[in-house]
Amino acid sequence: MKPVHQIDPLLPGRPQISPEQRRKQAQEQREMEKQAGYQKLIDLCAIGESEAAQRLAAAHPHWGYEILNGWVSDRT
């Protein structure tokens, strides 16, 4: 890593990302978060913590899941 006084601020940095690439990356990130949330809900239900799973699902409605009778289901 270079010391700050050796860095030329006029040199181009990392390449700019197009708006389409940003949208794609954001969509991928949301999908990964949704999958991770689903796994957390499944794990909570598996150990009998359906109330904790309900609270977690309510705290993250963008995941699109709800807990019904100790099972994870899509909120559709």
Side-chain angles (χ1 to χ4, degrees):
M1 183 177 248
K2 292 183 188 179
V4 174
H5 69 277
Q6 291 181 353
I7 297 174
D8 184 359
L10 300 177
L11 289 177
R14 60 183 172 176
Q16 295 295 321
I17 298 175
S18 71
E20 185 176 324
Q21 289 174 322
R22 279 191 200 281
R23 282 191 295 276
K24 184 178 178 183
Q25 286 179 348
Q27 177 64 32
E28 289 172 356
Q29 181 66 30
R30 283 190 298 269
E31 186 61 35
M32 287 176 25
E33 183 181 332
K34 183 177 178 179
Q35 290 174 358
Y38 179 76
Q39 188 60 49
K40 289 177 186 177
L41 295 172
I42 289 288
D43 291 344
L44 285 170
C45 289
I47 62 172
E49 292 290 338
S50 60
E51 288 180 24
Q54 286 175 344
R55 288 192 303 271
L56 185 61
H60 299 280
H62 57 278
W63 289 348
Y65 300 115
E66 63 183 347
I67 309 302
L68 298 173
N69 299 324
W71 294 91
V72 180
S73 65
D74 284 329
R75 186 180 301 171
T76 54

